[in-house]
Amino acid sequence: MERKKLVLVGNGMAGVRCIEEILKIDAEAFDITVFGSEPHPNYNRILLSTVLQGDTSIQDITLNEMSWYEENNIKLYTGETVIKIDPDQQLLFTDLGKEVFYDQLILATGSQPFMLPIPGADKEGVTAFRDIKDCETMIAAAQNYKKAVVIGGGLLGLEAARGLINLGMKVDVVHLTGQLMDRQLDLVASDLLKKELESQGMNFLLEKQTEEIFGGKRAEGLRFKDGSTVDADLVVMAVGIKPNVQLAKDSGIPVNRGIVVDDYLQTEIPNVYAVGECAEHREMVYGLVAPLYEQGKILAERITGLKNRKYEGSVISTQLKVSGVDVFSAGQFMESEHTKAIKIHDDVEGIYKKIVFQNNKVIGAVLFGDIQDGPRLLKMILEKVDVSDLPKIAVLATPSEDTAESAVVSMPASEVVCGCNGVSKGEICEAIVTQDLKTVDQVRDCTNASRSCGGCKPVVAELLEYTLGDDFDYSEQKEAICSCTTLSREEVIEEIRTKDLKFVKEVMHVLDWKEKEGCSKCRPALNYYLGMINPAQYEDESASRFVNERLHANIQKDGTYSVVPRMYGGVTTAEDLRKIANVAEAYNVPMIKLTGGQRIDLLGVKKEDLPNVWADLDMPSGYAYAKSLRTVKTCVGEQFCRFGTQDSTQMGIDLEKKFERLNTPHKIKMSVSACPRNCAESGIKDLGIVGVDGGWELYVGGNGGTHLRAGDLLCTVQTKEEVITMAAAFLQYYRETANYLERTSKWIERVGLEHVREVLFDEESRSQLVERIEEALVYTQDPWKEIIESKETREKLFESLKV
C-alpha cells in the first residue's frame, strides 16, 4: 500500500511529539515532511531560560537531533516557512518556493510573543524572549551593556530577569499589576516570591504601565504613564503570547483566538488538523506542555485510525521552579463567595499552602516553598474527591512514612508524572515491564520521562522500585554521561584505564556507543577524561571540543571573535599596553574592553586574523574561552594598601603562572585578597584566598555566576608554599572526581566539604594528588604559540574548518 503524505507545519514540541506518537503506532503509515521556520531541530523551549542563565547549552536542550529525523525517514526543512495552503488542491507553498502535496496536514505553528504596540518598540535593544535567537540576542547584549528592564512579571519575565542578572546585568522588572505571576499564584504566594527574588538582586516596578521606550537608534529607557522613567540599555518584553494563526487565516481555515478544532483536533477543513499553542479547543487555548502533549497523543490515534478517543480539555496545573523557588498551583485557586479555603503560612521557613474547597470538594490549590503535596492535590481535583468525612486540614497532611508508599501505588495510571513531556504513570510502568527497563536513565531514553527539567526523577525512581519489586537494584541507579551510552562517568573512566583506551572514537567503539559518532555532550567529555587520565601520551582531539576551544577564542554573535591575552594577577606593563593598542589599530578592532577578571578584551577580531593577532601581541593566551583556569583576580595588597596584611598581587601571579593552561571539568576562577575586606571577591570564586594576620584562608566552591554561592572555608595555612600545595591538591581532586561541565560549587555540594577535607588533609593522598597535577602541568602548551608555529594547524583550523 502506498504511504500517505503527512506534512507537519511547525517543528516545535507539540507537533513533533504528535509525530513521535504516530511513529509508535504505525511507523510505516506515512511519508512525513516537517517544516520549521527556525534553523534548528526540535528543542525544548521550556529550558531556554536555563541556556540564558548559563546552566545548559543549545545542544543540551535539543529534543530530537538531526539523526532522529534521518533514522525515521522524515524530510525536515529548517529555516523555511510555509506561507500559503490551498485546501482544495491539498497543497502548501513555502517562502523558498517549494510546493508540497499532502494527504493529511497538521498545523503546529505555535505562538508568537506579544509585543506592546508602543512608541520605540522597534528600536535596537528591544527583544522578546521566545526562541533561541532571542536568547542569543540577550546574551550578546549583556557583553556590552549593563542595565536591563524586563516588562512582564510572569514566569517568562522572571526567568529572563534571573538570566540577565546571571549575565552581570542590573535588572528592573516592570509589571502592570501589583502581583507577580498573578495567573499562577495568589497574593500571599506572590508576595513571598517577590521577597525571595528581591534577595536575589531583582528590583520590581509594580503597577507601572509602559507608555514609550525612549532613546536614539537604540533604547535608552522607559517612560511610564505616571510620568516616571527608568534607564535601560536592553528591554525584554515578556508580556504574553498569542497563537500564531496567520497562515490558517490567510488560507481560509477558521480561526478565533486560535485555530478552531473539535474534540479530535480537526479543523473545519477536511484533512487539516491543529495541535499545540495555535489550537483553540472549546474556546480554550493552552500554553502548558502537558495539555499540548495530551492533544498530540489523541491526534496521533485519530490520524492513524487507532481509536476515536476524544480530547475533553485539561485541568491546568503548574509545577515550577522560579529562580530556585518551588511553586505549584492547580485548578480554581482564587477564592470567591462560593468557596472556602484552608491556609498554612510558615513565615520562618518561607512555606505557604492554600487549598480551596467548594461543595466539599477540592477545586484548587497553591503551594509555595514545599510542593510535595502537589501531585496528590491535583489528583483530588481531577477526580473530584468528596472530602465530607475528612477534617479539612487533613487534606494538607503529608502522609506518614508508613503510608508514603501509597503515593505511587494509588496514583492512577492516567496521571501525568512528567509534565514537561506528558508521560503518565501507566506509560512508564508499561515500558518498565515490556522493555525490561532497570534504571531512571533507561526510562528517560524510552519514554522521555525526566528528559527535560528532571524534576520528576524521584517519582520515576519510585515507580521503578514499585514495578520491579525485589528485582529493583539501587546500585544500578546511576546517571549515564549521555544518551549514547548507559555507562556512568565512573564506569567510563574505569574502562578507559583497564582497557588502556587512547582515542575518543576508540572509547565509543569498544564500549558499544549507541550513536557511533557520539554527541555534543559526550565527545568533549571523553576528550577531557582521556587527557586527564593519561596527560603524557594523550593527544588532544580538537574536533571533540566546542568551537571556542577549538579556535582558542570566543565567537561572537556576528561571527567575529574576542581575544583576551593573559595578564598575570591583573598586572600589566606599559610595553604590553602598547602591544595591545598597536594590534587594535592594525586590525581595526571595534571594541577594547576591560573585563571583570582584570584583563583587556579585544572584541570583533575576524577569524582569519586570529593567528596574526596572536603573533603580533606576543603574549600568552588568557584562556577566556576554555574549561581551564581563567583568571586570578587580585587586590593591590600590602605593597600599597594600608589595610593589606599579605602580598596578594604576587600570590595571584604565582598561582596563575603555576596553573595556567590546566584542563579542568569546567572553567575555574580564582582570586586573592590581602585582607578580610575581600576587595578581590575571594568569597565567591572556585578557589578564593584571603590574607589574614600570619597566614592565608582558602575558600572553595564559590560561584558568582549562575547560582550565587559563597565559598566554604577549606583551611587556614601560614606560607605561600602551603597555599600552592593545597590549591594543587584541591584542583587535582576536582579534576579527577567531577563530572565534565560540573562547576566546583555543584561538585562541593555533591561530594561534601568534609569528604574533600579528609582527602586533602591526609598527607599521603595530598602528596599523590600534587604529584599527578605536576605531571599534567608538564605537558601543557600555549595554544596561541603552538598555532603560530604550526602551518599545518593554522591551515586545519583557520582555512578548512567551517564553524
Side-chain angles (χ1 to χ4, degrees):
M1 183 182 295
E2 184 179 354
R3 292 185 180 185
K4 291 183 178 181
K5 308 292 183 184
L6 173 63
V7 177
L8 170 66
V9 179
N11 190 34
M13 297 173 69
V16 174
R17 170 50 64 90
C18 183
I19 297 296
E20 289 177 337
E21 296 297 331
I22 289 171
L23 293 172
K24 288 179 185 177
I25 296 169
D26 188 350
E28 304 298 322
F30 297 101
D31 282 332
I32 302 174
T33 301
V34 178
F35 287 94
S37 296
E38 291 189 69
H40 308 282
N42 176 38
Y43 64 90
N44 191 339
R45 199 180 300 274
I46 299 169
L47 297 182
L48 270 178
S49 59
T50 66
V51 176
L52 181 66
Q53 293 170 18
D55 288 337
T56 54
S57 67
I58 298 298
Q59 292 84 358
D60 292 333
I61 68 171
T62 298
L63 292 172
N64 299 86
E65 301 277 0
M66 290 295 190
S67 58
W68 177 82
Y69 295 88
E70 295 171 3
E71 289 165 4
N72 289 285
N73 298 312
I74 297 172
K75 293 180 183 176
L76 172 64
Y77 298 102
T78 59
E80 189 163 357
T81 303
V82 176
I83 57 174
K84 183 71 175 176
I85 300 167
D86 182 343
D88 295 329
Q89 300 296 318
Q90 295 192 181
L91 294 172
L92 55 80
F93 307 87
T94 76
D95 58 348
L96 298 183
K98 284 191 180 66
E99 181 178 318
V100 178
F101 172 80
Y102 66 85
D103 291 301
Q104 307 280 359
L105 176 64
I106 300 174
L107 300 178
T109 48
S111 60
Q112 296 175 320
F114 180 76
M115 301 296 285
L116 293 175
I118 56 176
D122 58 347
K123 292 184 182 296
E124 288 183 11
V126 179
T127 183
F129 182 33
R130 183 63 183 161
D131 56 26
I132 288 174
K133 185 177 179 182
D134 295 332
C135 199
E136 292 171 341
T137 297
M138 295 162 70
I139 292 171
Q143 295 178 348
N144 301 309
Y145 302 98
K146 290 301 175 187
K147 183 66 174 66
V149 169
V150 176
I151 304 177
L155 173 64
L156 200 61
L158 298 179
E159 292 285 13
R162 177 69 262 171
L164 292 169
I165 288 173
N166 292 347
L167 291 171
M169 300 193 82
K170 182 182 177 184
V171 182
D172 290 314
V173 177
V174 175
H175 196 51
L176 186 61
T177 72
Q179 181 180 334
L180 300 176
M181 289 185 65
D182 39 17
R183 293 185 180 182
Q184 290 88 18
L185 303 177
D186 67 358
L187 184 59
V188 177
S190 175
D191 286 344
L192 285 168
L193 180 63
K194 177 173 176 286
K195 290 177 184 177
E196 173 61 30
L197 297 181
E198 284 175 335
S199 71
Q200 296 181 19
M202 288 187 208
N203 183 54
F204 294 99
L205 303 174
L206 302 181
E207 299 183 273
K208 293 284 187 180
Q209 184 174 352
T210 307
E211 195 167 62
E212 72 164 324
I213 300 170
F214 61 81
K217 185 178 179 182
R218 185 180 181 88
E220 296 175 13
L222 278 66
R223 182 172 287 107
F224 303 114
K225 201 166 185 178
D226 61 9
S228 61
T229 62
V230 62
D231 294 334
D233 305 307
L234 174 67
V235 178
V236 179
M237 288 197 191
V239 292
I241 57 175
K242 54 184 180 180
N244 185 6
V245 299
Q246 196 61 49
L247 172 63
K249 189 175 182 180
D250 291 345
S251 304
I253 299 169
V255 302
N256 188 20
R257 184 175 164 219
I259 302 171
V260 179
V261 297
D262 61 17
D263 289 350
Y264 301 105
L265 288 308
Q266 184 165 346
T267 71
E268 293 182 16
I269 305 300
N271 302 315
V272 178
Y273 304 83
V275 68
E277 292 176 323
C278 67
E280 179 177 330
H281 173 261
R282 299 184 186 180
E283 299 184 348
M284 282 291 295
V285 176
Y286 296 93
L288 297 174
V289 71
L292 307 187
Y293 282 171
E294 187 179 352
Q295 291 177 2
K297 290 180 182 179
I298 288 174
L299 177 53
E301 294 170 356
R302 174 70 170 185
I303 213 166
T304 56
L306 179 66
K307 61 176 81 168
N308 285 327
R309 185 161 61 104
K310 291 183 177 181
Y311 177 62
E312 303 285 354
S314 301
V315 174
I316 298 298
S317 67
T318 308
Q319 183 168 313
L320 306 164
K321 187 179 284 288
V322 186
S323 295
V325 182
D326 289 312
V327 299
F328 170 89
S329 66
Q332 302 173 44
F333 58 82
M334 299 303 291
E335 298 163 71
S336 71
E337 60 180 324
H338 304 295
T339 64
K340 300 288 185 181
I342 288 179
K343 304 173 187 177
I344 295 176
H345 187 176
D346 183 346
D347 205 24
V348 176
E349 298 294 333
I351 293 172
Y352 171 70
K353 300 181 179 185
K354 180 175 84 171
I355 298 181
V356 180
F357 299 89
Q358 186 174 17
N359 299 326
N360 286 314
K361 295 176 182 177
V362 179
I363 63 168
V366 174
L367 307 175
F368 180 94
D370 176 5
I371 63 172
Q372 63 176 325
D373 290 322
R376 183 169 57 84
L377 292 173
L378 177 59
K379 178 186 174 186
M380 297 179 78
I381 295 169
L382 291 171
E383 296 182 356
K384 300 179 181 178
V385 175
D386 192 317
V387 293
S388 303
D389 298 332
L390 284 176
K392 299 301 181 284
I393 192 66
V395 176
L396 268 179
T398 301
S400 66
E401 290 185 9
D402 294 336
T403 61
E405 182 187 17
S406 64
V408 294
V409 174
S410 61
M411 186 186 293
S414 60
E415 183 168 331
V416 172
V417 171
C418 178
C420 292
N421 295 290
V423 188
S424 69
K425 171 192 171 180
E427 291 172 302
I428 293 171
C429 292
E430 181 182 1
I432 291 170
V433 174
T434 60
Q435 303 299 318
D436 193 28
L437 308 181
K438 302 294 186 184
T439 69
V440 172
D441 286 347
Q442 290 173 350
V443 173
R444 177 201 64 204
D445 294 341
C446 182
T447 69
N448 289 322
S450 79
R451 184 179 181 184
S452 299
C453 74
C456 62
K457 280 186 178 180
V459 181
V460 173
E462 286 184 45
L463 286 173
L464 270 166
E465 185 176 8
Y466 160 65
T467 306
L468 295 176
D470 292 339
D471 292 334
F472 180 76
D473 187 350
Y474 283 98
S475 66
E476 290 186 348
Q477 303 309 307
K478 64 197 178 192
E479 185 171 355
I481 66 170
C482 73
S483 60
C484 298
T485 179
T486 59
L487 298 176
S488 67
R489 171 199 175 277
E490 289 73 19
E491 289 172 325
V492 169
I493 288 176
E494 180 63 24
E495 292 284 351
I496 290 172
R497 286 192 169 121
T498 57
K499 291 182 169 64
D500 194 26
L501 303 178
K502 303 293 187 184
F503 309 102
V504 170
K505 285 194 174 181
E506 182 185 21
V507 174
M508 295 175 179
H509 175 69
V510 172
L511 303 186
D512 196 24
W513 242 236
K514 298 175 192 173
E515 296 292 336
K516 299 306 178 185
E517 297 298 320
C519 66
S520 60
K521 190 172 182 180
C522 64
R523 285 194 302 269
L526 293 178
N527 186 54
Y528 169 74
Y529 295 142
L530 285 162
M532 180 269 292
I533 292 167
N534 194 356
Q537 297 180 355
Y538 182 66
E539 185 175 340
D540 187 83
E541 296 182 15
S542 63
S544 294
R545 290 184 174 270
F546 298 119
V547 61
N548 289 347
E549 295 176 89
R550 289 202 306 271
L551 298 185
H552 305 287
N554 274 328
I555 191 169
Q556 307 299 304
K557 69 172 185 177
D558 61 356
T560 63
Y561 290 79
S562 70
V563 171
V564 183
R566 181 72 76 184
M567 288 182 175
Y568 297 102
V571 176
T572 188
T573 64
E575 180 184 1
D576 282 345
L577 290 173
R578 287 192 191 95
K579 288 180 183 177
I580 292 171
N582 291 338
V583 164
E585 286 185 345
Y587 295 93
N588 298 313
V589 175
M591 176 176 283
I592 308 169
K593 191 178 186 306
L594 298 179
T595 73
Q598 300 177 333
R599 301 189 293 188
I600 294 176
D601 194 351
L602 302 175
L603 290 151
V605 179
K606 296 176 182 177
K607 175 187 167 186
E608 60 268 24
D609 287 339
L610 286 173
N612 292 331
V613 166
W614 299 333
D616 292 351
L617 279 173
D618 192 27
M619 297 172 68
S621 169
Y623 271 68
Y625 49 83
K627 308 295 183 290
S628 179
L629 173 62
R630 296 287 181 90
T631 63
V632 181
K633 191 172 184 178
T634 66
C635 65
V636 296
E638 67 175 0
Q639 189 175 358
F640 292 98
C641 178
R642 56 198 178 98
F643 299 110
T645 63
Q646 300 285 357
D647 188 352
S648 57
T649 303
Q650 189 58 51
M651 175 66 81
I653 292 171
D654 292 343
L655 284 166
E656 194 159 356
K657 287 187 174 180
K658 176 72 176 178
F659 299 114
E660 64 177 330
R661 302 193 293 271
L662 180 72
N663 285 326
T664 49
H666 210 301
K667 62 186 175 185
I668 291 286
K669 295 183 179 181
M670 298 187 191
S671 66
V672 187
S673 297
C675 73
R677 285 176 173 80
N678 228 333
C679 294
E681 302 170 344
S682 299
I684 53 170
K685 301 298 183 188
D686 296 279
L687 177 58
I689 296 146
V690 178
V692 293
D693 286 333
W696 303 89
E697 293 177 340
L698 275 67
Y699 292 85
V700 296
N703 192 332
T706 305
H707 299 292
L708 185 65
R709 184 184 192 275
D712 297 317
L713 179 61
L714 176 68
C715 62
T716 301
V717 298
Q718 293 183 331
T719 66
K720 180 179 76 173
E721 290 72 24
E722 288 176 300
V723 169
I724 292 177
T725 296
M726 291 302 295
F730 172 77
L731 288 174
Q732 185 63 15
Y733 194 56
Y734 166 60
R735 293 180 75 234
E736 293 179 357
T737 59
N739 297 317
Y740 186 68
L741 297 184
E742 184 177 33
R743 291 293 301 269
T744 60
S745 54
K746 299 288 187 183
W747 173 71
I748 282 285
E749 290 177 353
R750 179 170 63 83
V751 303
L753 177 65
E754 289 308 314
H755 170 72
V756 174
R757 281 178 172 161
E758 285 179 16
V759 174
L760 268 56
F761 292 176
D762 180 82
E763 187 173 348
E764 183 178 352
S765 65
R766 182 173 67 246
S767 176
Q768 291 173 353
L769 288 167
V770 172
E771 183 179 336
R772 291 197 292 272
I773 201 172
E774 291 288 358
E775 180 187 9
L777 288 168
V778 167
Y779 297 99
T780 63
Q781 299 181 56
D782 187 281
W784 290 358
K785 185 176 181 181
E786 187 179 1
I787 289 169
I788 292 166
E789 294 176 350
S790 171
K791 181 180 179 182
E792 180 183 353
T793 305
R794 286 199 308 276
E795 289 177 349
K796 180 181 178 182
L797 290 177
F798 298 96
E799 295 177 21
S800 63
L801 181 66
K802 294 182 179 180
V803 294

